[in-house]
Amino acid sequence: MDAPVYYSRAEYIETDTGNKVSRRATIAGPQNIILGGKTVIASGAIIRGDLRRTGPGHAVVISLGRYCLIGEGCVMRPPYKTYRGNFNYYPMKIGDHVHVGSGSIVEAATIGNHVEIGKNCIIGKFTIIKDCAKIADNTVIPPNTVVPALALFAGSPGRFVEDLPESTQEMVEAHTKGFYTRFQPATTER
Amino acid sequence: MAPSVDYYCPCLAASPHPPPPHLPSSSDSFHPLHNLFFCEECDAVRCNRCVMVEVSGYYCPNCLFEVPSASVRAEKNRWDSAQVDITFEKPTGLAAQLQKFEDSAPEALEFDRLKEHFEPFLRASSSSSAVTPSSSHHHSNPITAAASSALARDIPGVSKYNPLSRSRSGRDKSSHKADIPDYKARMEVGAAAGMGAGGGEADLEFMRHLETVAEVATVEQRWVNSWVSSLHTDDLKPLRIPLQSKKSKRCPSCRHILIKPEQKAQSVRYKIKLVAANYLPAISVSLPHARAALEMMKRSLNRSATQSEDQSPTAAALLAGKTYSFHISFTNPLYDPIQVRLKKAQAMPAPGTEGAGEKAKRPPFQVNLPSAAFPIAAFAEAWEYEDDEDMFGLDDDDDLDGLGRLQKDQRSKTRTVGVVEKRANVTVVAGEVILTKESRGNVKFNMLVSYTYRSDDPDPAEENAMGTPSRHASSKPPEMKNFSFYTVVDLGTIAPREETIHDSDIWPTLDEAGIMATPEQPESRPQAGPLPSKRGEIGFVEGVDVSTQQEQVGEGSGTAETSSPLPERHPADTPVPTTTPQEPNPPTTPTPTTNAPPADSPSTANPPNTSAPLNPSGTTGRKLSSFLGCKRIPLFWGMRVTTLSLFAFQIAVLGATIGGWIVLI
């Protein structure tokens, strides 16, 4: 756990707010995406900021908080709905300290702070995940699910398993901050 | 399994000593730190099993609506009735729509009629028994006695179900029993079966004419109700979602509140939060040799960090008969520095059930822990630490990344047991575990951790007795308090020695599906990647077919006689210096060139304008070209004529250009 996580310096772009975005990640519509700062977007991730709702002006499609991690091969898509004959995309808002495991597909509407999503999960459309929740690996969450705070969901379909301990918030915060600190450029070429 | 440390909660047991860790049942008493609470009054650790839990609020898990506790309590004694033939007008507010049907269901109407029938009699009996509510001495707790009398006052007929009242009413009202007229039900008993409430002919007919199994409701769908419901899937009604509760927790002995959540349902903040992580040092254990193996694998294979972590369980296993050192890191959560002392907890001898034979193999390993007390600095915010920038000691100038630091540690760590590192509020100490040859199972041992810290609250008597400042200054030093707790350290499973592995795993095992499982690689050496299969990869042997190379490896790993059964060549070994790509292509594989022989790397990177190649590639050139099947091109000094002629041509063009300029100017 203390070991640094290296990445190739050429592969990641570091912004002035400390975001580290891999060049091999597919970022569509970057002008509609907000990264909170000190967020890592790993290689192979696909973030669809181009799926914006119709309308004038500037729209924020996907907003991420601080110390987030979008794992390798993740797909982040805003949810969509046809309501009264109109088809629209809805914005996706993700809080701070959120780690999304590799290979997950996230179409949630809202994700709170300190959420940990496992690997190969599928989060259905318009899911609301409240703070400090945890989604186990390989979970499939059906659309329109509500994941209450401090809940652990697992299985397919994702069901409530247990309540997480009260100190989950500190644990997840330490984990995400620790990960960002350990995520360092490799000094030697491999 | 990664090494871990769990903390012991005595759970109000009589003896403070933890159970021996190798017993399966003892894992119940050990918890990870973040699941534990700490009671300040009792100075004790509490776990989720021993705390007193109270409900502090209810919420719906689907819509997150916070239900006031008052309405939850009021709704609790509601009569649950079956619903029949319900159609919903809109998709929300199902409960309200169900409510209407509930009230008009046949069972509900039946119950209402029953109530009306018996009400006059119940009122008469309850009024007589309610005359003397104070004489209900059978209630031990005055609170419950008051509650039951209030309940009896509000709801007529409840006092009939009190054990006290029943005896009284039995005595008093036996004469009145004859006065109750017979009750006439609204419908015939047999008609209830027709509604699907019971078994009988109707169910039989239904089963005879089943078309698909899906028409029958499963047991799981039907047993939610406590009465018999219809077998038809079509008769299943949507269920209400049960509310979930937010809990507040108290210490079982002193009833001090440990956890009190905020009023808002979905807020994760707490009014009171006495978790053990704020009082006890966080302990984590790691095996340095495992980390070194991981680093080696990562460097040689250049996989991403996350992938290699998952796939290297065998490289880091503990082998019987060897000695390993482990690092335990302590993180101090208090704002004061603490002194920590470790002690191996003596295993409680089982009462006389062991024979002498068992005793011989009872201690499968021996653990040496640092015996001296070591200090840990106080916790301070991140910006207060001086060496905040390079917390990991990473300097980009010198090569002090993971491998370098490990090497430095190994060189400087002359003593194996003791303090290894002190950084911020974390101290790492090293211990050592010696495994005997016959040891099996998990390496788990109990460890007593005791630490002294300066108490924050001064003695009030001292404060009041503050006379002259000099007297106060020279009064008792700040009180040092001592706290100790038990932990269990689990270092992992012991892997048996290599020969035993080979005997069992040499033949592919068939699992239940009859699929051949590949034989397990012995865990003694870090695993190498796929064999080099083409020219340019390090370790590639030319002139030999790829298949034969793999075959050699397969045989090598299958035989039990060879002591090192892995593929003969590890990428980290110095390879046979036969590989040199002739053309200035970049290496086709991303293998690290640091591990490659130094001769290869410059030649691969440089353009062909350099001097003669560094390797005897005259002979290899023939092999290379023949292997790749390209045209037979004659070679001079190892360079193809084509390359040479191209080079000569370019020089000629350059010379002619320069000559032309000179002539013109």
Side-chain angles (χ1 to χ4, degrees), chain A residues 2-6 9 72 119 130-132 144 146 148-150 160 163 165-167 169-171 181-182 184 187-190, chain B residues 34-35 37 59 61-62 64 244 247 249 259 266 268 270 273 275 291 295 298 302 304-305 310 392 394 396 399 401-402 590 592:
Chain A
D2 273 334
V5 178
Y6 287 117
R9 210 187 267 277
E72 295 181 2
K119 302 184 186 162
K130 304 297 282 186
D131 297 345
C132 298
N144 303 301
V146 172
L150 284 170
F160 177 81
D163 269 327
E166 288 78 9
S167 46
Q169 180 170 341
E170 281 88 25
M171 274 172 51
T181 317
R182 289 181 294 129
Q184 288 145 359
T187 50
T188 57
E189 278 305 315
R190 308 278 169 97
Chain B
H34 292 278
N35 291 355
F37 314 104
Y59 64 93
N62 194 38
L64 302 179
Q244 286 190 353
K247 301 174 194 51
K249 302 182 183 169
I259 298 284
Q266 293 303 304
V268 283
Y270 293 89
K273 189 159 120 173
V275 279
R291 200 140 28 101
E295 293 276 333
K298 276 198 283 191
N302 198 31
S304 73
D310 301 332
F392 291 93
L394 273 190
D396 291 350
D399 221 354
D401 46 355

Side-chain angles (χ1 to χ4, degrees), chain A residues 1 67 96-99 113-116 131-133 150 164-179, chain B residues 33-37 258-259 267-279 282 331 333 335 379 381:
Chain A
M1 271 280 285
Y67 290 101
D96 302 331
H97 301 279
V98 173
H99 270 210
N113 303 321
H114 303 92
V115 170
E116 205 175 316
D131 297 345
C132 298
L150 284 170
L164 295 170
E166 288 78 9
S167 46
T168 302
Q169 180 170 341
E170 281 88 25
M171 274 172 51
V172 174
E173 191 164 325
H175 176 63
T176 53
K177 283 189 173 170
F179 177 83
Chain B
L33 176 64
H34 292 278
N35 291 355
L36 292 173
F37 314 104
L258 302 173
I259 298 284
S267 125
V268 283
R269 288 190 306 202
Y270 293 89
K271 285 193 194 144
I272 303 177
K273 189 159 120 173
L274 298 176
V275 279
N278 294 345
Y279 294 88
T331 309
Y335 288 99
F379 171 72
E381 296 301 323

Side-chain angles (χ1 to χ4, degrees), chain B residues 472-493:
Chain B
H472 185 248
S474 63
S475 64
K476 286 185 235 169
E479 218 177 290
M480 303 295 286
K481 282 173 80 172
N482 202 342
F483 187 73
S484 57
F485 56 93
Y486 283 93
T487 59
V488 65
V489 180
D490 182 2
L491 293 174
T493 317

Side-chain angles (χ1 to χ4, degrees), chain A residues 36-115:
Chain A
K38 306 208 176 181
T39 291
V40 175
I41 300 189
S43 64
I46 301 174
I47 306 193
R48 300 296 306 268
D50 54 334
L51 305 174
R52 52 164 291 175
R53 67 182 323 174
T54 54
H58 181 249
V60 174
V61 175
I62 298 178
S63 72
L64 286 151
R66 297 182 3 240
Y67 290 101
C68 286
L69 165 68
I70 307 292
E72 295 181 2
C74 275
V75 178
M76 314 283 292
R77 277 201 300 261
Y80 52 87
K81 191 194 281 187
T82 299
Y83 179 66
R84 293 189 179 184
N86 298 333
F87 174 87
N88 255 319
Y89 285 101
Y90 290 76
M92 190 157 105
K93 184 161 160 44
I94 300 180
D96 302 331
H97 301 279
V98 173
H99 270 210
V100 182
S102 51
S104 291
I105 300 175
V106 179
E107 282 189 274
T110 312
I111 299 184
N113 303 321
H114 303 92
V115 170

